[in-house]
């Protein structure tokens, strides 16, 4: 059971938009930055969003992040088949004194 | 170009020990926190431990406290994870990652597989 809760799976058609939620508490999301990672099959995770809504260099603006209270959301627009991957949210938990990841969400582009 | 290359994984019996290494290049290693993250087969990501730039602060997930030790050698641009009293549930791909100071992990290695089995 992960400290951060994500839906196990989401799906949408190519070209459409999808959102992935990440729910936590005041000890983690509520008082710390959230980041998002994409893991393509058989590869290492890749940073997509940091500090709630910032994109590293090279990440297209189709990917966006937001945070409100104790929840965060990853948005992906203009879906492509290459976006099929597992997506993870993560943040520091001030009560546990360690980093926590969500359980991951598998994105299927139909 | 930032590169992180893990090594040291392999097959080990329950109760055994293993030392993982992560060789860093392309950035000023001594300026960054560093982290180990693992992923059991078919499962999600699990944060394992991190270490401050000078090694003065270390944090561990509860499940490895007292068994794993994170360390670093800034002169060698290397990160380590000493794993003792290994259990079957420690079987995973272990990744090292550059830590943006508890806000995100911006570069990851390719991972090294640790299998704990008799």
């Amino acid at each position: 059971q992960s400290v951060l809760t994500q839906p196990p799976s989401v799906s949408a058609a190519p070209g459409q938009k999808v959102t992935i939620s990440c729910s936590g508490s005041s000890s983690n999301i509520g008082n710390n930055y959230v980041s998002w990672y994409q893991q393509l099959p058989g590869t290492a995770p890749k940073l997509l969003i940091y500090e709630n809504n910032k994109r590293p260099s090279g990440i297209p603006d189709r990917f966006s992040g937001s945070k409100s209270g104790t929840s965060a959301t990853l948005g992906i627009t203009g879906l492509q088949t290459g976006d099929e991957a597992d997506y993870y949210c993560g943040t520091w938990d001030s009560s546990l004194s360690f980093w926590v990841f969500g359980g991951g969400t598998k994105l299927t582009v139909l | 170009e930032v590169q992180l290359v893990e090594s040291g994984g392999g097959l080990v019996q329950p109760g055994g020990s293993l030392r993982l290494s992560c060789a860093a290049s392309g950035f000023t290693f001594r300026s960054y926190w560093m982290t180990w993250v693992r992923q059991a087969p078919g499962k999600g990501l699990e944060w394992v431990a991190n270490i401050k730039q000078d090694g003065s602060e270390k944090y561990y997930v509860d499940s490895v406290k007292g068994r794993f030790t994170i360390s670093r050698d800034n002169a060698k641009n290397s990160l380590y994870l000493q794993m003792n009293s290994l259990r079957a549930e420690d079987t995973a791909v272990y990744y090292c990652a550059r830590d943006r100071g508890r806000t995100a992990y911006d570069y990851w290695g390719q991972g090294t597989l640790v299998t704990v089995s008799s």
Side-chain angles (χ1 to χ4, degrees), chain A residues 10 35 39 64 66 70 74-75 77 83 109:
Chain A
V10 296
S35 52
Q39 187 175 33
S64 63
S66 64
T70 59
L74 173 70
T77 60
D83 295 332
V109 181

Side-chain angles (χ1 to χ4, degrees), chain A residues 38-41 80-87 107-110:
Chain A
Q38 177 193 60
Q39 187 175 33
L40 297 169
Q80 303 172 0
T81 55
D83 295 332
E84 286 201 336
D86 293 322
Y87 292 83
L107 169 63
T108 301
V109 181
L110 302 168

Side-chain angles (χ1 to χ4, degrees), chain B residues 2 5 14 16 27 43 60 67 70 95 97 108-109 115:
Chain B
V2 172
V5 180
F27 66 102
K43 302 297 184 182
Y60 300 90
R67 299 189 301 122
I70 189 171
Y95 297 100
W108 297 64
T115 303

Side-chain angles (χ1 to χ4, degrees), chain B residues 17-95:
Chain B
S17 298
L18 212 54
R19 188 196 197 206
L20 305 183
S21 300
C22 172
S25 61
F27 66 102
T28 305
F29 181 74
R30 64 179 182 274
S31 297
Y32 288 85
W33 284 75
M34 293 296 295
T35 290
W36 288 99
V37 175
R38 67 183 179 183
Q39 186 170 35
K43 302 297 184 182
L45 302 175
E46 181 183 34
W47 184 90
V48 175
N50 72 350
I51 184 169
K52 194 176 180 180
Q53 291 92 328
D54 61 0
S56 62
E57 291 183 39
K58 305 175 185 181
Y59 297 89
Y60 300 90
V61 69
D62 287 347
S63 58
V64 308
K65 283 179 183 174
R67 299 189 301 122
F68 289 12
T69 301
I70 189 171
S71 63
R72 63 192 296 162
D73 185 335
N74 288 341
K76 294 183 178 179
N77 291 336
S78 292
L79 175 72
Y80 306 102
L81 186 67
Q82 177 67 43
M83 304 184 296
N84 299 330
S85 303
L86 282 162
R87 306 166 180 167
E89 53 265 36
D90 296 318
T91 294
V93 173
Y94 285 73
Y95 297 100

Side-chain angles (χ1 to χ4, degrees), chain A residues 37 39 44-45 50 88 98-99, chain B residues 39 44 47 100 102 104-105 108-109:
Chain A
Y37 304 84
Q39 187 175 33
Y50 68 100
Y88 296 89
F98 55 77
W99 184 273
Chain B
Q39 186 170 35
W47 184 90
R100 292 176 58 98
R102 299 186 191 176
Y105 303 111
W108 297 64

